[in-house]
Amino acid sequence: MALAIHPKSRTLPQLMTFFKDAATDTFDKAKLAKFFSRLGMMLFSISDSIYSSDSLKKAAQDLFGYKTSLFAPALTPGHSQISTRVAVTSSVGYAETMTLISNYNHPQGRNEAREEDSSKDMLVWEAALATSAAPYYLPPFEKPETSTMYVDGAVFANCPAAYAYAETKSLWPDHAASLDLLVSLSTGRQIKPRSHGALPKFVRNGILRTFANMLMHQSDSNESWTTFEGSVPSTVKAKLHRLDPPLVGDRVALDEYSKMDELVSAAEEWTKTDEGRRKIKDTAHVILASLFFFEPDEGGIVRATGTSGRSGAGRNQLSGSIRCRLPRNSSGLRKLLAEKADSLWSSVLDHGAVLGDQGGGNNVFWEPIMVSGGSEKLSNCVNEEIGQCHVNLNFPFEDEPGGHRLHVLALKIKGSDRHIPISGFPSTMAALMERASTRWLQ
């Protein structure tokens, strides 16, 4: 599903139909003779799984195109290219090491799935099979050109949030960019305890049962999320969001495709609850705030002398502008400013102060940023000549030993009294000055 998020993708209802059809064709047990034949071959090490991946392979090829490359340049003869930056988890060999299959370069050009010869690069449908080859259910995927074997990344990262966060540290080392938002989309929080009764009898005893227990523990995505959430600093924890609708009925196994409509209904009902509405609204507000970013001017650090104060008089200043990522003159930009985004605010947090995910916290003083004509309302900020949201700003700051104080630029959403940090904030002034010297642009 992540691989399908790109400009030429089909609509969400079409993707849901694709997923249901592909799962039905892949896990259909109507032909019991074939199913039990594969199960028997698996017991005698003749087969790697109880289902074939042929149906899933054909469905993925039909959805993504047979020659759509994950990484190869669009100029490669006969190939199109996926444009959205994406990474999916997989495991090399028989779950020997975890790997990320991505379509972007890492620092120093490292990319675990990219080949020197572009003709051997991963195709999108191949990446889909590599990240979906769940042990026991589906066979490993072998990349023909490299003879590399892949199995489902869930073996190592059924909840890949920790790996996604680690990837940001790899891509932007030395705090060159900060995390704006990490959203974890759960497949559902199954309330009913696990039962060994659902396992084949030959797995329920002895060493195989020990292995099954280890696999169940490893695949518990909610436990993985809780562990990850508790391992990060409070400034990062405030930016973590997980949407996890509870599933109160019987537990649903990976191959129970007949229950997909039931799962959709459970998720839809959760969105109508107070918890569901609150979580979705909070996540949406953070996404809206992250559309805005501060771009320092080149050489924009201005040193000043005199008495410091919140007004900025006599203080050092970092000049720049607050901008929006939405395209210029777009209906989306104008709708955002007219209906959602109310105003921009600034604050400075002393060392040890806590800023919540919605800009709350004790003793946080917020100062409005004037946009135009003495007003702080963002509906007045569109520069009609260039059709962009462009707010010039002189950012006052004080020299601070060690750079521990956090500066915050935040967005206030209409109808809400919360201040939500925009992209790149909170930030120390040292980090902002470093971005200014390198012409940092979001």
Side-chain angles (χ1 to χ4, degrees):
M1 299 297 276
L3 290 166
I5 301 175
H6 59 91
K8 295 182 180 179
S9 173
R10 300 173 187 179
T11 64
L12 182 58
Q14 288 174 326
L15 288 175
M16 292 177 67
T17 298
F18 155 78
F19 194 84
K20 291 179 180 180
D21 291 345
T24 301
D25 292 341
T26 300
F27 299 127
D28 187 7
K29 296 179 182 177
K31 299 178 180 178
L32 289 178
K34 184 176 181 180
F35 171 78
F36 284 111
S37 175
R38 289 190 64 87
L39 180 60
M41 289 190 293
M42 184 180 175
L43 291 174
F44 290 100
S45 300
I46 300 174
S47 174
D48 288 322
S49 63
I50 59 173
Y51 298 103
S52 167
S53 61
D54 291 345
S55 296
L56 181 60
K57 176 180 177 180
K58 183 180 184 305
Q61 289 175 344
D62 290 343
L63 178 68
F64 298 113
Y66 182 74
K67 289 189 176 182
T68 304
S69 297
L70 188 66
F71 209 118
L75 296 179
T76 302
H79 287 244
S80 57
Q81 182 188 21
I82 180 173
S83 58
T84 303
R85 296 294 174 255
V86 62
V88 293
T89 58
S90 188
S91 306
V92 176
Y94 285 91
E96 294 162 11
T97 57
M98 210 285 284
T99 188
L100 281 178
I101 300 174
S102 64
N103 65 343
Y104 50 82
N105 278 323
H106 287 70
Q108 293 82 46
R110 178 181 66 85
N111 187 290
E112 297 169 348
R114 191 178 188 186
E115 299 293 328
E116 293 292 333
D117 183 353
S118 62
S119 66
K120 297 180 181 180
D121 267 339
M122 188 80 73
L123 301 173
V124 180
W125 69 263
E126 291 178 324
L129 262 63
T131 192
S132 304
Y136 174 74
Y137 293 101
L138 294 169
F141 169 72
E142 183 177 359
K143 174 71 173 164
E145 294 84 355
T146 62
S147 299
T148 304
M149 197 85 71
Y150 296 93
V151 299
D152 195 336
V155 174
F156 283 96
N158 198 31
C159 176
Y163 289 92
Y165 178 63
E167 184 75 341
T168 68
K169 310 296 284 185
S170 173
L171 291 171
W172 297 284
D174 303 322
H175 307 287
S178 63
L179 178 70
D180 288 333
L181 173 69
L182 190 156
V183 181
S184 175
L185 301 178
S186 166
T187 55
R189 186 172 72 253
Q190 304 207 66
I191 304 301
K192 191 172 182 178
R194 294 180 183 272
S195 170
H196 289 293
L199 295 172
K201 289 184 178 180
F202 70 90
V203 178
R204 297 183 203 170
N205 298 300
I207 189 65
L208 289 179
R209 178 167 181 172
T210 301
F211 173 76
N213 284 333
M214 292 173 59
L215 186 60
M216 286 181 176
H217 178 75
Q218 178 70 21
S219 63
D220 188 332
S221 63
N222 288 304
E223 183 176 328
S224 298
W225 172 260
T226 301
T227 301
F228 165 61
E229 195 176 29
S231 69
V232 298
S234 59
T235 52
V236 173
K237 186 175 181 179
K239 299 182 179 183
L240 305 181
H241 294 254
R242 182 165 170 85
L243 306 180
D244 53 346
L247 307 176
V248 297
D250 291 336
R251 294 188 69 87
V252 180
L254 186 146
D255 59 344
E256 290 187 274
Y257 63 89
S258 61
K259 293 188 176 182
M260 282 193 287
D261 288 334
E262 179 182 325
L263 296 178
V264 170
S265 296
E268 289 177 341
E269 287 301 313
W270 176 76
T271 66
K272 301 173 185 176
T273 65
D274 290 341
E275 178 197 39
R277 284 195 297 266
R278 175 183 57 80
K279 284 191 172 184
I280 292 172
K281 183 178 180 179
D282 288 350
T283 303
H285 283 178
V286 177
I287 292 173
L288 289 178
S290 68
L291 290 174
F292 295 88
F293 65 95
F294 175 70
E295 182 185 356
D297 291 339
E298 186 173 6
I301 302 172
V302 179
R303 299 291 180 181
T305 59
T307 305
S308 68
R310 281 201 175 271
S311 65
R315 300 175 68 187
N316 298 324
Q317 294 185 345
L318 176 62
S319 63
S321 58
I322 299 175
R323 304 188 183 190
C324 182
R325 289 189 172 99
L326 293 181
R328 58 189 299 175
N329 285 319
S330 66
S331 59
L333 173 61
R334 297 184 183 277
K335 184 174 182 178
L336 170 67
L337 299 178
E339 300 179 12
K340 297 296 181 181
D342 180 77
S343 50
L344 292 165
W345 299 70
S346 67
S347 185
V348 180
L349 304 180
D350 291 324
H351 180 61
V354 177
L355 185 71
D357 61 342
Q358 297 293 314
N362 296 326
N363 302 318
V364 179
F365 176 86
W366 292 101
E367 191 170 19
I369 296 173
M370 296 302 151
V371 173
S372 176
S375 170
E376 72 273 14
K377 298 301 181 182
L378 277 170
S379 55
N380 300 324
C381 89
V382 174
N383 186 316
E384 295 298 337
E385 294 181 3
I386 59 176
Q388 287 182 331
C389 177
H390 189 106
V391 180
N392 292 321
L393 176 67
N394 289 323
F395 203 2
F397 68 94
E398 299 174 4
D399 288 322
E400 28 181 308
H404 292 304
R405 301 182 77 193
L406 291 174
H407 295 258
V408 189
L409 294 181
L411 174 71
K412 195 174 180 181
I413 303 290
K414 290 185 177 181
S416 172
D417 59 355
R418 293 174 172 175
H419 301 80
I420 308 171
I422 67 173
S423 179
F425 290 89
S427 174
T428 62
M429 186 51 62
L432 284 173
M433 292 169 67
E434 181 180 353
R435 294 169 189 172
S437 65
T438 57
R439 294 293 294 132
W440 176 67
L441 178 66
Q442 289 287 329

